[in-house]
């Protein structure tokens, strides 16, 4: 984050007066105490900084230091209160609307190539329409050659390139790229347009009677898009629904309310907020008639399900309208508003907490190392759904049916992030004009051997978590006087745990092959292709379909305690 104004003495005084006005609603003694603390704190900060500016041995970077001061202040509040300088307000707008004007592609910085590349063009957007592909190296934009990264910080270089790709909708320009495996550069003429990143990633029939929808966020028109898709799927014979909210970080709270309204009666309270100011305490209820109140539903959640996605899952759970399946959600029950700041900046500020229909606040109880921590259920308060089922406020939404995902080795995560793996998939795309449908595409044993040889030639390396744990154990043994006694055993164990790519590529062959298949599929069929390729191997999805095909079990889960199952 950046800060474009400095804390001069007049501004310090103005801030102090502002805080004193805010304190006017408090008792006089508390008002004086808080006001005095604020004035003293700002006076100290102002005096320290002015002394640094006058006497410090080197010239200070005022903008950076003051920006860091604001960042440090906000980091002490919560992870979601954030300052956006004028140069980043378009980023905030994009977060809220899912819109921007450009070519519709993610770009990535590659220091090893001294350039930026096209990482992923979105389906149906200008970059994909003209034929740009993942891995294309950006050489020139608008007829102007891009300089190499050189000594420029990679993040700054990437941002500069991204800014050149964006512009007014309707403007046309040329992009020249170097495609791996092709000798001559390729030039494409692209017309910028307003890019709307759809929050509904996929919507199709998972089987003859079950609809599947994957939401990746909550932006403008999310509820409308879900409604239209559901109507269409019901025409295709959908009688059941799996709503996949895994990895959905949320977004616009109002869209969550409207989405829930598709499935519960008009006038149903979806959530209410509570803040310090009366204006920050509001109830939100559905205002439209639902399109389906009886279709059996399973909502899939995981640790990446947060904010508005948790409102959806929690409200449907509280009204016994759907079975929540998967793992506990993230635990973000805070509401942010945007406040205008001096010099065009915007402060995204947490103003209240939200509570779902049962009365639960899903906000995590505390954070450790930036991650939310849930309370044990034994320490949480018990609430009840509309049917009387017990639910708790331990932080996040606990699923009705817990299904843990497969545990994968650290190697797979590092492999997925590696340039060598990405480059192999790019090479495959550029040497195979077409592949089978996502569900039917598979790499041959020869293809897998080629991947292993590719990684070996490019010296792919990774760290094992077990080896990191062993290093920690060594330090503990040394500190407690057992270093020499246990050295031989620890050395032998370290030799066994040292990364062995050949061994791990054989051990995890099926998982690595599937990862490569899904990545390659995305280069032909985009995000929808990834979903179609993944679902047949998705343990949680398999369990959801099994539950929806067992009506008695489904009804038993949602039945009130001691209630009859029909």
């Amino acid at each position: 984050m950046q800060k474009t104004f400095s804390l001069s003495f007049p501004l310090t005084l103005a801030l102090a007066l502002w805080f004193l006005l805010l304190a006017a609603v408090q008792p006089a003694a508390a008002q004086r105490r808080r006001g005095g603390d604020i004035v003293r704190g700002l006076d100290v900060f102002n005096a320290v900084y002015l002394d640094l500016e006058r006497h410090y041995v080197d010239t200070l970077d005022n903008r950076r230091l003051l920006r860091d001061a604001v960042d440090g202040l906000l980091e002490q509040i919560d992870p979601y209160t954030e300052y956006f300088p004028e140069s980043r307000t378009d980023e905030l707008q994009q977060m809220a609307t899912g819109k921007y004007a450009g070519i519709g592609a993610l770009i990535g910085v590659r220091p090893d190539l001294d350039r930026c590349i096209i990482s992923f063009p979105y389906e149906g957007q200008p970059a994909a329409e003209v034929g740009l592909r993942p891995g294309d190296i950006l050489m020139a934009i608008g007829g102007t050659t891009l300089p190499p990264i050189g000594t420029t910080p990679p993040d700054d270089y990437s941002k500069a390139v991204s800014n050149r790709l964006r512009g007014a909708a309707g403007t046309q320009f040329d992009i020249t790229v170097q495609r791996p495996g092709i000798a001559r550069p390729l030039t494409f003429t692209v017309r910028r347009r307003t890019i709307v990143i759809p929050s509904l990633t996929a919507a199709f029939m998972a089987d003859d009677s079950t609809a599947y929808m994957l939401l990746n966020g909550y932006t403008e028109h999310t509820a409308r898009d879900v409604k239209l898709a559901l109507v269409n799927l019901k025409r295709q014979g959908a009688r059941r629904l799996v709503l996949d909210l895994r990895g959905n970080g949320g977004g616009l709270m109002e869209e969550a309310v409207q989405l829930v309204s598709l499935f519960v009666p008009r006038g149903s309270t979806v959530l209410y907020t509570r803040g310090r100011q009366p204006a920050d305490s509001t109830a939100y209820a559905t205002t439209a008639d639902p399109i389906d109140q009886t279709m059996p539903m399973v909502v899939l959640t995981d640790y990446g399900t947060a904010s508005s996605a948790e409102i959806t899952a929690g409200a449907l759970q509280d009204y016994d309208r759907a079975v929540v399946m998967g793992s506990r959600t993230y635990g973000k029950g805070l509401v942010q508003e945007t406040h205008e700041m001096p010099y065009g900046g915007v402060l995204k500020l947490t103003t209240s907490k939200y509570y779902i229909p049962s009365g639960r606040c899903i906000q995590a109880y505390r954070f450790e190392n930036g991650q939310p921590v849930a309370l044990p259920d034994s320490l949480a308060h018990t609430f009840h759904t509309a049917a009387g089922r017990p639910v708790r406020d331990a932080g996040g939404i606990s699923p009705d049916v817990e299904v843990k995902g497969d545990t994968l080795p650290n190697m797979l995560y590092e492999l997925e992030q590696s340039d060598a793996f990405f480059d192999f998939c790019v090479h495959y795309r550029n040497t195979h004009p077409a592949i089978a449908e996502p569900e039917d595409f598979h790499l041959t044993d020869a293809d897998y051997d080629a991947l292993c040889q590719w990684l070996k030639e490019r010296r792919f390396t990774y760290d094992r978590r077990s080896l990191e744990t062993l290093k920690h154990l060594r330090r503990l043994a040394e500190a407690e006087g057992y270093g020499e006694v246990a050295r031989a055993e620890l050395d032998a164990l370290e030799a066994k745990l040292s990364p062995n790519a050949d061994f791990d590529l054989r051990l995890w062959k099926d998982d690595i092959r599937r990862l490569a298949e899904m990545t390659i599929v995305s280069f032909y069929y985009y995000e929808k292709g990834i979903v179609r390729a993944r679902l047949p191997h998705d343990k949680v999805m398999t369990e959801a379909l099994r539950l929806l095909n067992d009506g008695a079990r489904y009804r038993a889960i949602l039945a009130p305690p001691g209630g009859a199952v029909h």
Side-chain angles (χ1 to χ4, degrees), residues 254-269:
E254 295 80 2
E255 288 295 325
V257 176
Q258 293 182 40
L259 195 153
V260 173
S261 74
L262 302 177
F263 304 103
V264 300
R266 179 199 287 262
S268 301
T269 298

Side-chain angles (χ1 to χ4, degrees), residues 278-357:
D280 296 324
S281 300
T282 309
Y284 296 83
T286 61
T287 58
D289 292 326
I291 62 172
D292 195 300
Q293 296 186 66
T294 60
M295 171 185 281
M297 290 177 59
V298 172
V299 178
L300 305 184
T301 63
D302 65 6
Y303 181 71
T305 306
S307 188
S308 295
E310 292 177 289
I311 292 173
T312 300
L316 293 174
Q317 184 182 58
D318 281 353
Y319 283 118
D320 307 290
R321 181 61 188 85
V323 171
V324 177
M325 177 181 289
S327 52
R328 189 195 293 271
T329 63
Y330 186 82
K332 181 182 182 297
L334 303 176
V335 181
Q336 283 79 45
E337 293 180 353
T338 55
H339 293 183
E340 293 185 1
M341 293 286 108
Y343 307 112
V346 175
L347 180 65
K348 180 167 69 73
L349 174 66
T350 298
T351 56
S352 57
K353 295 181 180 180
Y354 62 70
Y355 299 77
I356 53 178

Side-chain angles (χ1 to χ4, degrees), residues 391-440:
V391 287
R392 294 179 174 85
D393 65 346
I397 302 295
S398 294
D400 301 304
V401 179
E402 184 174 13
V403 182
K404 294 183 179 180
D406 293 326
T407 300
L408 297 175
N410 187 50
M411 175 194 182
L412 258 73
Y413 295 105
E414 295 199 28
L415 181 65
E416 185 179 20
Q417 300 300 317
S418 74
D419 293 336
F421 177 79
F422 178 83
D423 290 344
F424 174 83
C425 297
V426 167
H427 172 75
Y428 192 98
R429 172 66 180 92
N430 291 337
T431 54
H432 294 74
I435 61 172
E437 292 294 311
E439 300 89 342
D440 303 321

Side-chain angles (χ1 to χ4, degrees), residues 396-543:
I397 302 295
S398 294
D400 301 304
V401 179
E402 184 174 13
V403 182
K404 294 183 179 180
D406 293 326
T407 300
L408 297 175
N410 187 50
M411 175 194 182
L412 258 73
Y413 295 105
E414 295 199 28
L415 181 65
E416 185 179 20
Q417 300 300 317
S418 74
D419 293 336
F421 177 79
F422 178 83
D423 290 344
F424 174 83
C425 297
V426 167
H427 172 75
Y428 192 98
R429 172 66 180 92
N430 291 337
T431 54
H432 294 74
I435 61 172
E437 292 294 311
E439 300 89 342
D440 303 321
F441 171 71
H442 300 288
L443 291 175
T444 65
D445 286 341
D447 292 330
Y448 187 76
D449 290 341
L451 169 60
C452 294
Q453 184 62 28
W454 182 284
L455 295 173
K456 183 177 180 180
E457 290 174 355
R458 284 150 185 80
R459 299 183 179 181
F460 166 69
T461 59
Y462 56 95
D463 293 325
R464 282 183 173 172
R465 292 177 182 172
S466 54
L467 196 59
E468 289 299 315
T469 302
L470 177 60
K471 291 178 181 178
H472 180 63
L473 179 60
R474 278 188 184 276
R475 290 192 292 269
L476 288 177
E478 292 286 348
E480 295 180 357
Y482 293 99
E484 289 298 327
V485 176
R487 186 179 304 280
E489 289 83 356
L490 292 174
D491 287 345
L493 184 57
E494 181 174 356
K496 293 180 179 180
L497 292 178
S498 295
N500 184 330
D502 289 338
F503 175 81
D504 283 344
L505 287 169
R506 293 192 302 271
L507 177 65
W508 301 102
K509 178 178 179 179
D510 291 343
D511 296 296
I512 295 171
R513 188 204 297 262
R514 191 169 299 129
L515 176 63
E517 289 169 350
M518 286 192 295
T519 304
I520 292 170
V521 160
S522 74
F523 291 175
Y524 293 85
Y525 296 100
Y526 305 97
E527 291 181 300
K528 292 178 182 176
I530 299 175
V531 177
R532 290 170 57 192
R534 186 189 68 217
L535 284 187
H537 311 283
D538 189 329
K539 182 169 69 174
V540 184
M541 180 65 180
T542 299
E543 182 57 34

Side-chain angles (χ1 to χ4, degrees), residues 80-98:
Y80 316 110
T81 296
E82 185 176 2
Y83 173 73
F84 291 80
E86 185 177 17
S87 60
R88 289 184 58 210
T89 53
D90 58 338
E91 178 184 331
L92 183 62
Q93 180 69 11
Q94 181 185 335
M95 290 167 56
T97 65

